[in-house]
Structures are given as C-alpha cells and as structure tokens.
Amino acid sequence: MKIPQLPDWAVDMTDLHVHASPSLLPRHGDDAATVAAERQQGFRTVVLKAHEGSTVERAATAGENVYGGIVLNSPVGGANPDAVEVAARLGGRVVWMPTVSSRTHRAAAASPELSVHRGFELRPVDVVEDGRLRPEWYDVLDAVAAHDLLLASGHLSAEETVVLFTEARRRGVRRLLVNHPKMAFLHWNDTAAEELRRLDAHLELGILPDLLGTPEHSSLTLTGSYPSSLLVFGGDLGHAHHATPADAVAPWLHRLEQRVGARNAAAIMTTTSRSLLLP
C-alpha cells in the first residue's frame, strides 16, 4: 500500500514521546537515527523517553530542539526528588511517573496492548494507596513545580492519575500530561475525564497506542470528547517490531485532520504540544 504524503501543514511539529536505543527493548535506531527519522517527517522538537531512567544527557548530544526527561521507575529509585532535581538542572523537561514499575502496568502485563514490553520487568513502585498519594511523592512534585517541568502520568490508571494531578496542582505543578489515556489497561472513564478536564490536564494522542489497541480505544476518539486545546502529540514510536515514522506518521496525521480539520490538527501538532513542553 502506498503511503500518503504528509499534509501541507505538517511542519515544525513536536513529538513529546519517542523511544530510541540504547534500551532493554528492541528499537529501530539510536538517538541520532531516531531524531533524523523524526526530522524527515516534519518534527522540529523531539522528546526522547526511556523506561530505564533518564534521557536528559542523551538529548543534550542529540541535536537542537531535542529534549529528555526521567522516568521514575525502580532503576532510579521511584520517588526520587534528587533524580528529578539533577535531570532538571541538566536541561530535562519531562518527569514521567512509573511505567513498567507501576502496579497498573504489572497487573495488566499480559494484555495485548502491552505486548511491546514482554520480557521486560521491573520491581514495583507504589504511587497511590487507599485513594491518596503516598507521601514520598510530595518532594517529587515540589521539584517538578520548582523547575516548571512537565509531569506525565506514565502507566498510572485514570483514577490514580486524577489523585496524582489533583495533588500536583495543589503543590504548584503547571504542566500535566496523561500518557496514552485510551489504552485499555489504564481504564479511561467519563468521571476521570471530567476531573482531568477540570484540572486543565492535557491528553496525549499517539500512534503506537492506536496501532496496538482496538478502534474504540484509539486516541483519536478523544477529539470528539475532550477540548482540542488540551490535546497534544506523543507518537510513542521506536519499537523495532512496529512501524517506523516513515510508515506511520503521514497516515495518522491524515486521520487526525479528518477528525478535527487542518487548522486544529496543525495547532495540536505544533504550538499546543511545544507550549506544554517549554516555558
């Protein structure tokens, strides 16, 4: 099947969620190759993510407008405010909550949409207990707020994310992002959606989650129920057993345009996503 060309508006885009090697999971290429592949698809700003820890140092050598962050899984000690502080002072922009270490991920590890993580397990990191944020996370949130970083939900469930983001707002965190919210194992629901909208939390539209999930769990369905001004893009591409940017980006962008129109699609992919990332 012939791959369509990129839409005319697909320039100066931002991708808030890209994976590259080195990694304990198979990737299409290293940082340089991954950034080059993104550039070819119209992405000016790229955020590197690694479940294993920090990408901040890697991003610093990967080219202009490439940013990193830190994933608070067990390898970095989970709720580790010192790790957040160091990442921020080295130029990091994103703090992801536990992904492979989250209880929600571990409970659903056998589900189809988590097939990309098969064979990769980490020790658990607890975030919410009895409906409340565990107190060891308060200092993490304070560090995120102090450096005006983007706090991303990782693989927390919708309910856990509401608890986390409610406390984050109380402690001064301005930038909130729900990662791939429609993936089935995260239990997206109308109540959580309303609470997250009230908190002005942004939702991530992504390509790999849409490839892995069923049509009803496509992130693009969010365009009909959540404000366009709170939708951003994080492709989540990079896994070697799934599509490359060259194969996947253009078809997905055309589907986005069909749902929201060219003007809104361009805003989501450019100004809205970049503004969430950067001061």
mmCIF file of all heavy atoms in Angstrom, residues 231-276:
data_model
loop_
_atom_site.group_PDB
_atom_site.id
_atom_site.type_symbol
_atom_site.label_atom_id
_atom_site.label_comp_id
_atom_site.label_asym_id
_atom_site.label_seq_id
_atom_site.Cartn_x
_atom_site.Cartn_y
_atom_site.Cartn_z
ATOM 1 N N LEU A 231 -5.270 18.857 23.812
ATOM 2 C CA LEU A 231 -4.754 17.663 23.155
ATOM 3 C C LEU A 231 -3.371 17.951 22.586
ATOM 4 O O LEU A 231 -3.153 18.979 21.952
ATOM 5 C CB LEU A 231 -5.696 17.213 22.028
ATOM 6 C CG LEU A 231 -7.112 16.825 22.449
ATOM 7 C CD1 LEU A 231 -7.948 16.493 21.218
ATOM 8 C CD2 LEU A 231 -7.108 15.660 23.429
ATOM 9 N N VAL A 232 -2.432 17.023 22.831
ATOM 10 C CA VAL A 232 -1.073 17.162 22.324
ATOM 11 C C VAL A 232 -0.654 15.837 21.688
ATOM 12 O O VAL A 232 -1.380 14.847 21.737
ATOM 13 C CB VAL A 232 -0.085 17.565 23.434
ATOM 14 C CG1 VAL A 232 -0.413 18.958 23.965
ATOM 15 C CG2 VAL A 232 -0.081 16.547 24.574
ATOM 16 N N PHE A 233 0.552 15.827 21.118
ATOM 17 C CA PHE A 233 1.002 14.644 20.391
ATOM 18 C C PHE A 233 2.235 14.025 21.021
ATOM 19 O O PHE A 233 3.230 14.704 21.294
ATOM 20 C CB PHE A 233 1.323 14.983 18.942
ATOM 21 C CG PHE A 233 1.841 13.806 18.153
ATOM 22 C CD1 PHE A 233 0.965 12.818 17.725
ATOM 23 C CD2 PHE A 233 3.190 13.674 17.874
ATOM 24 C CE1 PHE A 233 1.436 11.713 17.013
ATOM 25 C CE2 PHE A 233 3.670 12.575 17.161
ATOM 26 C CZ PHE A 233 2.790 11.591 16.731
ATOM 27 N N GLY A 234 2.174 12.708 21.238
ATOM 28 C CA GLY A 234 3.335 11.913 21.626
ATOM 29 C C GLY A 234 3.237 10.574 20.927
ATOM 30 O O GLY A 234 2.463 9.710 21.330
ATOM 31 N N GLY A 235 3.977 10.392 19.860
ATOM 32 C CA GLY A 235 3.783 9.246 18.982
ATOM 33 C C GLY A 235 4.046 7.897 19.612
ATOM 34 O O GLY A 235 3.455 6.901 19.221
ATOM 35 N N ASP A 236 4.995 7.838 20.570
ATOM 36 C CA ASP A 236 5.357 6.592 21.241
ATOM 37 C C ASP A 236 5.974 5.586 20.281
ATOM 38 O O ASP A 236 5.950 4.379 20.522
ATOM 39 C CB ASP A 236 4.133 5.986 21.945
ATOM 40 C CG ASP A 236 4.507 5.002 23.048
ATOM 41 O OD1 ASP A 236 5.699 4.844 23.325
ATOM 42 O OD2 ASP A 236 3.583 4.380 23.619
ATOM 43 N N LEU A 237 6.516 6.066 19.170
ATOM 44 C CA LEU A 237 7.147 5.171 18.206
ATOM 45 C C LEU A 237 8.580 4.858 18.614
ATOM 46 O O LEU A 237 9.140 5.474 19.496
ATOM 47 C CB LEU A 237 7.121 5.809 16.813
ATOM 48 C CG LEU A 237 5.740 6.001 16.182
ATOM 49 C CD1 LEU A 237 5.858 6.758 14.862
ATOM 50 C CD2 LEU A 237 5.058 4.654 15.966
ATOM 51 N N GLY A 238 9.150 3.870 17.947
ATOM 52 C CA GLY A 238 10.534 3.492 18.186
ATOM 53 C C GLY A 238 10.746 2.008 18.392
ATOM 54 O O GLY A 238 11.860 1.512 18.254
ATOM 55 N N HIS A 239 9.659 1.272 18.726
ATOM 56 C CA HIS A 239 9.813 -0.164 18.938
ATOM 57 C C HIS A 239 10.118 -0.859 17.614
ATOM 58 O O HIS A 239 9.418 -0.663 16.614
ATOM 59 C CB HIS A 239 8.548 -0.751 19.556
ATOM 60 C CG HIS A 239 8.751 -2.099 20.177
ATOM 61 N ND1 HIS A 239 8.901 -3.244 19.424
ATOM 62 C CD2 HIS A 239 8.848 -2.478 21.483
ATOM 63 C CE1 HIS A 239 9.067 -4.280 20.238
ATOM 64 N NE2 HIS A 239 9.043 -3.844 21.482
ATOM 65 N N ALA A 240 11.143 -1.692 17.619
ATOM 66 C CA ALA A 240 11.639 -2.280 16.375
ATOM 67 C C ALA A 240 10.659 -3.234 15.715
ATOM 68 O O ALA A 240 10.780 -3.515 14.513
ATOM 69 C CB ALA A 240 12.959 -3.010 16.633
ATOM 70 N N HIS A 241 9.672 -3.749 16.450
ATOM 71 C CA HIS A 241 8.720 -4.687 15.880
ATOM 72 C C HIS A 241 7.453 -4.010 15.370
ATOM 73 O O HIS A 241 6.503 -4.681 14.974
ATOM 74 C CB HIS A 241 8.340 -5.755 16.921
ATOM 75 C CG HIS A 241 9.504 -6.573 17.376
ATOM 76 N ND1 HIS A 241 9.478 -7.358 18.511
ATOM 77 C CD2 HIS A 241 10.750 -6.723 16.849
ATOM 78 C CE1 HIS A 241 10.646 -7.953 18.656
ATOM 79 N NE2 HIS A 241 11.430 -7.590 17.667
ATOM 80 N N HIS A 242 7.461 -2.667 15.390
ATOM 81 C CA HIS A 242 6.293 -1.924 14.935
ATOM 82 C C HIS A 242 6.721 -0.825 13.972
ATOM 83 O O HIS A 242 7.905 -0.668 13.680
ATOM 84 C CB HIS A 242 5.516 -1.382 16.137
ATOM 85 C CG HIS A 242 4.909 -2.469 16.972
ATOM 86 N ND1 HIS A 242 3.707 -3.057 16.660
ATOM 87 C CD2 HIS A 242 5.369 -3.105 18.085
ATOM 88 C CE1 HIS A 242 3.436 -3.996 17.552
ATOM 89 N NE2 HIS A 242 4.427 -4.050 18.422
ATOM 90 N N ALA A 243 5.777 -0.068 13.479
ATOM 91 C CA ALA A 243 6.001 0.845 12.365
ATOM 92 C C ALA A 243 7.040 1.916 12.669
ATOM 93 O O ALA A 243 7.174 2.382 13.808
ATOM 94 C CB ALA A 243 4.678 1.509 11.978
ATOM 95 N N THR A 244 7.746 2.324 11.631
ATOM 96 C CA THR A 244 8.677 3.446 11.706
ATOM 97 C C THR A 244 7.915 4.748 11.478
ATOM 98 O O THR A 244 6.785 4.743 10.961
ATOM 99 C CB THR A 244 9.755 3.318 10.626
ATOM 100 O OG1 THR A 244 9.123 3.422 9.335
ATOM 101 C CG2 THR A 244 10.492 1.988 10.726
ATOM 102 N N PRO A 245 8.520 5.886 11.813
ATOM 103 C CA PRO A 245 7.872 7.156 11.486
ATOM 104 C C PRO A 245 7.560 7.299 9.993
ATOM 105 O O PRO A 245 6.499 7.830 9.632
ATOM 106 C CB PRO A 245 8.900 8.197 11.947
ATOM 107 C CG PRO A 245 9.613 7.526 13.073
ATOM 108 C CD PRO A 245 9.714 6.074 12.663
ATOM 109 N N ALA A 246 8.441 6.838 9.146
ATOM 110 C CA ALA A 246 8.210 6.955 7.707
ATOM 111 C C ALA A 246 6.949 6.223 7.264
ATOM 112 O O ALA A 246 6.265 6.640 6.326
ATOM 113 C CB ALA A 246 9.422 6.414 6.938
ATOM 114 N N ASP A 247 6.624 5.131 7.949
ATOM 115 C CA ASP A 247 5.435 4.348 7.590
ATOM 116 C C ASP A 247 4.171 4.846 8.283
ATOM 117 O O ASP A 247 3.080 4.744 7.733
ATOM 118 C CB ASP A 247 5.645 2.876 7.975
ATOM 119 C CG ASP A 247 6.710 2.190 7.146
ATOM 120 O OD1 ASP A 247 6.874 2.565 5.966
ATOM 121 O OD2 ASP A 247 7.387 1.298 7.681
ATOM 122 N N ALA A 248 4.319 5.366 9.494
ATOM 123 C CA ALA A 248 3.148 5.569 10.341
ATOM 124 C C ALA A 248 2.668 7.004 10.476
ATOM 125 O O ALA A 248 1.479 7.236 10.714
ATOM 126 C CB ALA A 248 3.440 5.013 11.734
ATOM 127 N N VAL A 249 3.559 7.975 10.372
ATOM 128 C CA VAL A 249 3.180 9.348 10.719
ATOM 129 C C VAL A 249 2.169 9.932 9.748
ATOM 130 O O VAL A 249 1.123 10.449 10.157
ATOM 131 C CB VAL A 249 4.432 10.247 10.820
ATOM 132 C CG1 VAL A 249 4.015 11.721 10.939
ATOM 133 C CG2 VAL A 249 5.279 9.849 12.026
ATOM 134 N N ALA A 250 2.454 9.889 8.448
ATOM 135 C CA ALA A 250 1.565 10.542 7.477
ATOM 136 C C ALA A 250 0.142 9.990 7.514
ATOM 137 O O ALA A 250 -0.827 10.767 7.565
ATOM 138 C CB ALA A 250 2.158 10.444 6.071
ATOM 139 N N PRO A 251 -0.064 8.662 7.484
ATOM 140 C CA PRO A 251 -1.442 8.156 7.549
ATOM 141 C C PRO A 251 -2.176 8.603 8.808
ATOM 142 O O PRO A 251 -3.361 8.947 8.757
ATOM 143 C CB PRO A 251 -1.267 6.629 7.514
ATOM 144 C CG PRO A 251 0.044 6.412 6.855
ATOM 145 C CD PRO A 251 0.906 7.561 7.290
ATOM 146 N N TRP A 252 -1.473 8.611 9.938
ATOM 147 C CA TRP A 252 -2.115 9.018 11.193
ATOM 148 C C TRP A 252 -2.482 10.497 11.164
ATOM 149 O O TRP A 252 -3.556 10.890 11.623
ATOM 150 C CB TRP A 252 -1.188 8.720 12.367
ATOM 151 C CG TRP A 252 -1.837 8.884 13.712
ATOM 152 C CD1 TRP A 252 -2.484 7.933 14.446
ATOM 153 C CD2 TRP A 252 -1.896 10.095 14.490
ATOM 154 N NE1 TRP A 252 -2.952 8.472 15.626
ATOM 155 C CE2 TRP A 252 -2.603 9.789 15.677
ATOM 156 C CE3 TRP A 252 -1.424 11.390 14.292
ATOM 157 C CZ2 TRP A 252 -2.840 10.744 16.673
ATOM 158 C CZ3 TRP A 252 -1.659 12.343 15.279
ATOM 159 C CH2 TRP A 252 -2.361 12.010 16.446
ATOM 160 N N LEU A 253 -1.601 11.338 10.626
ATOM 161 C CA LEU A 253 -1.893 12.775 10.551
ATOM 162 C C LEU A 253 -3.120 13.049 9.685
ATOM 163 O O LEU A 253 -3.927 13.940 9.999
ATOM 164 C CB LEU A 253 -0.693 13.527 9.995
ATOM 165 C CG LEU A 253 0.540 13.617 10.900
ATOM 166 C CD1 LEU A 253 1.656 14.368 10.194
ATOM 167 C CD2 LEU A 253 0.215 14.278 12.227
ATOM 168 N N HIS A 254 -3.281 12.297 8.612
ATOM 169 C CA HIS A 254 -4.467 12.478 7.772
ATOM 170 C C HIS A 254 -5.733 12.083 8.525
ATOM 171 O O HIS A 254 -6.775 12.739 8.375
ATOM 172 C CB HIS A 254 -4.328 11.671 6.480
ATOM 173 C CG HIS A 254 -3.418 12.314 5.473
ATOM 174 N ND1 HIS A 254 -3.778 13.439 4.754
ATOM 175 C CD2 HIS A 254 -2.154 11.996 5.083
ATOM 176 C CE1 HIS A 254 -2.778 13.781 3.942
ATOM 177 N NE2 HIS A 254 -1.781 12.923 4.129
ATOM 178 N N ARG A 255 -5.655 11.046 9.355
ATOM 179 C CA ARG A 255 -6.821 10.665 10.163
ATOM 180 C C ARG A 255 -7.144 11.746 11.189
ATOM 181 O O ARG A 255 -8.316 12.049 11.459
ATOM 182 C CB ARG A 255 -6.582 9.315 10.839
ATOM 183 C CG ARG A 255 -6.560 8.142 9.861
ATOM 184 C CD ARG A 255 -6.676 6.814 10.575
ATOM 185 N NE ARG A 255 -5.487 6.479 11.338
ATOM 186 C CZ ARG A 255 -4.419 5.866 10.841
ATOM 187 N NH1 ARG A 255 -4.382 5.521 9.556
ATOM 188 N NH2 ARG A 255 -3.385 5.573 11.607
ATOM 189 N N LEU A 256 -6.091 12.333 11.779
ATOM 190 C CA LEU A 256 -6.314 13.435 12.710
ATOM 191 C C LEU A 256 -6.985 14.607 12.002
ATOM 192 O O LEU A 256 -7.953 15.186 12.520
ATOM 193 C CB LEU A 256 -4.975 13.882 13.309
ATOM 194 C CG LEU A 256 -5.012 15.122 14.213
ATOM 195 C CD1 LEU A 256 -5.864 14.864 15.453
ATOM 196 C CD2 LEU A 256 -3.601 15.556 14.600
ATOM 197 N N GLU A 257 -6.506 14.953 10.833
ATOM 198 C CA GLU A 257 -7.089 16.067 10.075
ATOM 199 C C GLU A 257 -8.554 15.805 9.737
ATOM 200 O O GLU A 257 -9.400 16.714 9.796
ATOM 201 C CB GLU A 257 -6.293 16.316 8.805
ATOM 202 C CG GLU A 257 -6.820 17.482 7.981
ATOM 203 C CD GLU A 257 -5.994 17.756 6.739
ATOM 204 O OE1 GLU A 257 -4.831 17.283 6.664
ATOM 205 O OE2 GLU A 257 -6.506 18.442 5.833
ATOM 206 N N GLN A 258 -8.879 14.573 9.402
ATOM 207 C CA GLN A 258 -10.271 14.236 9.083
ATOM 208 C C GLN A 258 -11.181 14.461 10.283
ATOM 209 O O GLN A 258 -12.348 14.814 10.126
ATOM 210 C CB GLN A 258 -10.356 12.781 8.621
ATOM 211 C CG GLN A 258 -9.762 12.527 7.246
ATOM 212 C CD GLN A 258 -9.623 11.048 6.928
ATOM 213 O OE1 GLN A 258 -10.031 10.184 7.722
ATOM 214 N NE2 GLN A 258 -9.038 10.735 5.789
ATOM 215 N N ARG A 259 -10.650 14.286 11.480
ATOM 216 C CA ARG A 259 -11.475 14.421 12.677
ATOM 217 C C ARG A 259 -11.617 15.866 13.149
ATOM 218 O O ARG A 259 -12.684 16.256 13.634
ATOM 219 C CB ARG A 259 -10.893 13.571 13.817
ATOM 220 C CG ARG A 259 -11.162 12.075 13.642
ATOM 221 C CD ARG A 259 -10.607 11.298 14.811
ATOM 222 N NE ARG A 259 -11.019 9.897 14.773
ATOM 223 C CZ ARG A 259 -12.105 9.413 15.364
ATOM 224 N NH1 ARG A 259 -12.896 10.224 16.052
ATOM 225 N NH2 ARG A 259 -12.415 8.141 15.288
ATOM 226 N N VAL A 260 -10.546 16.644 13.063
ATOM 227 C CA VAL A 260 -10.582 17.982 13.677
ATOM 228 C C VAL A 260 -10.369 19.112 12.691
ATOM 229 O O VAL A 260 -10.469 20.284 13.061
ATOM 230 C CB VAL A 260 -9.538 18.087 14.807
ATOM 231 C CG1 VAL A 260 -9.794 17.030 15.877
ATOM 232 C CG2 VAL A 260 -8.113 17.985 14.277
ATOM 233 N N GLY A 261 -10.069 18.805 11.427
ATOM 234 C CA GLY A 261 -9.777 19.838 10.450
ATOM 235 C C GLY A 261 -8.306 20.210 10.454
ATOM 236 O O GLY A 261 -7.587 20.002 11.448
ATOM 237 N N ALA A 262 -7.851 20.791 9.349
ATOM 238 C CA ALA A 262 -6.428 21.084 9.185
ATOM 239 C C ALA A 262 -5.927 22.090 10.215
ATOM 240 O O ALA A 262 -4.828 21.947 10.766
ATOM 241 C CB ALA A 262 -6.168 21.595 7.770
ATOM 242 N N ARG A 263 -6.710 23.121 10.489
ATOM 243 C CA ARG A 263 -6.247 24.171 11.408
ATOM 244 C C ARG A 263 -6.036 23.623 12.820
ATOM 245 O O ARG A 263 -4.991 23.862 13.438
ATOM 246 C CB ARG A 263 -7.253 25.312 11.425
ATOM 247 C CG ARG A 263 -6.827 26.480 12.302
ATOM 248 C CD ARG A 263 -7.818 27.625 12.184
ATOM 249 N NE ARG A 263 -7.425 28.747 13.014
ATOM 250 C CZ ARG A 263 -8.102 29.897 13.073
ATOM 251 N NH1 ARG A 263 -9.191 30.061 12.327
ATOM 252 N NH2 ARG A 263 -7.682 30.870 13.858
ATOM 253 N N ASN A 264 -7.012 22.891 13.336
ATOM 254 C CA ASN A 264 -6.871 22.325 14.678
ATOM 255 C C ASN A 264 -5.794 21.257 14.729
ATOM 256 O O ASN A 264 -5.060 21.144 15.725
ATOM 257 C CB ASN A 264 -8.200 21.750 15.155
ATOM 258 C CG ASN A 264 -9.195 22.812 15.571
ATOM 259 O OD1 ASN A 264 -8.812 23.919 15.933
ATOM 260 N ND2 ASN A 264 -10.471 22.488 15.514
ATOM 261 N N ALA A 265 -5.700 20.454 13.666
ATOM 262 C CA ALA A 265 -4.661 19.422 13.629
ATOM 263 C C ALA A 265 -3.280 20.052 13.685
ATOM 264 O O ALA A 265 -2.398 19.594 14.435
ATOM 265 C CB ALA A 265 -4.817 18.570 12.372
ATOM 266 N N ALA A 266 -3.086 21.108 12.916
ATOM 267 C CA ALA A 266 -1.790 21.795 12.913
ATOM 268 C C ALA A 266 -1.472 22.370 14.284
ATOM 269 O O ALA A 266 -0.328 22.296 14.760
ATOM 270 C CB ALA A 266 -1.788 22.895 11.855
ATOM 271 N N ALA A 267 -2.473 22.935 14.958
ATOM 272 C CA ALA A 267 -2.244 23.507 16.291
ATOM 273 C C ALA A 267 -1.846 22.433 17.289
ATOM 274 O O ALA A 267 -0.913 22.618 18.093
ATOM 275 C CB ALA A 267 -3.493 24.240 16.760
ATOM 276 N N ILE A 268 -2.553 21.307 17.273
ATOM 277 C CA ILE A 268 -2.225 20.207 18.186
ATOM 278 C C ILE A 268 -0.784 19.756 17.987
ATOM 279 O O ILE A 268 -0.039 19.561 18.958
ATOM 280 C CB ILE A 268 -3.188 19.021 17.960
ATOM 281 C CG1 ILE A 268 -4.595 19.377 18.460
ATOM 282 C CG2 ILE A 268 -2.676 17.752 18.655
ATOM 283 C CD1 ILE A 268 -5.658 18.392 18.029
ATOM 284 N N MET A 269 -0.384 19.622 16.750
ATOM 285 C CA MET A 269 0.920 19.057 16.430
ATOM 286 C C MET A 269 2.068 20.050 16.569
ATOM 287 O O MET A 269 3.233 19.642 16.599
ATOM 288 C CB MET A 269 0.912 18.498 15.007
ATOM 289 C CG MET A 269 -0.095 17.389 14.757
ATOM 290 S SD MET A 269 0.184 15.913 15.770
ATOM 291 C CE MET A 269 1.835 15.452 15.267
ATOM 292 N N THR A 270 1.750 21.333 16.641
ATOM 293 C CA THR A 270 2.824 22.334 16.682
ATOM 294 C C THR A 270 2.768 23.150 17.963
ATOM 295 O O THR A 270 3.408 22.815 18.946
ATOM 296 C CB THR A 270 2.748 23.252 15.435
ATOM 297 O OG1 THR A 270 1.451 23.887 15.391
ATOM 298 C CG2 THR A 270 2.959 22.459 14.159
ATOM 299 N N THR A 271 2.003 24.221 17.960
ATOM 300 C CA THR A 271 2.045 25.181 19.073
ATOM 301 C C THR A 271 1.574 24.606 20.390
ATOM 302 O O THR A 271 2.175 24.864 21.442
ATOM 303 C CB THR A 271 1.233 26.435 18.725
ATOM 304 O OG1 THR A 271 -0.092 26.041 18.336
ATOM 305 C CG2 THR A 271 1.870 27.192 17.571
ATOM 306 N N THR A 272 0.489 23.825 20.385
ATOM 307 C CA THR A 272 -0.034 23.302 21.653
ATOM 308 C C THR A 272 0.948 22.338 22.295
ATOM 309 O O THR A 272 1.223 22.424 23.506
ATOM 310 C CB THR A 272 -1.393 22.608 21.437
ATOM 311 O OG1 THR A 272 -2.298 23.517 20.779
ATOM 312 C CG2 THR A 272 -2.010 22.196 22.761
ATOM 313 N N SER A 273 1.484 21.422 21.512
ATOM 314 C CA SER A 273 2.434 20.445 22.071
ATOM 315 C C SER A 273 3.719 21.106 22.540
ATOM 316 O O SER A 273 4.238 20.812 23.624
ATOM 317 C CB SER A 273 2.743 19.360 21.026
ATOM 318 O OG SER A 273 1.595 18.584 20.753
ATOM 319 N N ARG A 274 4.237 22.025 21.746
ATOM 320 C CA ARG A 274 5.501 22.683 22.126
ATOM 321 C C ARG A 274 5.299 23.570 23.350
ATOM 322 O O ARG A 274 6.172 23.631 24.235
ATOM 323 C CB ARG A 274 6.048 23.487 20.949
ATOM 324 C CG ARG A 274 7.439 24.080 21.209
ATOM 325 C CD ARG A 274 8.005 24.734 19.970
ATOM 326 N NE ARG A 274 9.211 25.483 20.275
ATOM 327 C CZ ARG A 274 10.440 24.987 20.317
ATOM 328 N NH1 ARG A 274 10.630 23.699 20.056
ATOM 329 N NH2 ARG A 274 11.485 25.745 20.605
ATOM 330 N N SER A 275 4.168 24.256 23.429
ATOM 331 C CA SER A 275 3.921 25.139 24.567
ATOM 332 C C SER A 275 3.774 24.359 25.877
ATOM 333 O O SER A 275 4.121 24.872 26.942
ATOM 334 C CB SER A 275 2.659 25.976 24.327
ATOM 335 O OG SER A 275 2.842 26.841 23.240
ATOM 336 N N LEU A 276 3.243 23.135 25.808
ATOM 337 C CA LEU A 276 3.145 22.322 27.018
ATOM 338 C C LEU A 276 4.541 21.925 27.515
ATOM 339 O O LEU A 276 4.761 21.829 28.721
ATOM 340 C CB LEU A 276 2.309 21.079 26.744
ATOM 341 C CG LEU A 276 2.100 20.152 27.942
ATOM 342 C CD1 LEU A 276 1.331 20.859 29.057
ATOM 343 C CD2 LEU A 276 1.387 18.869 27.534
#
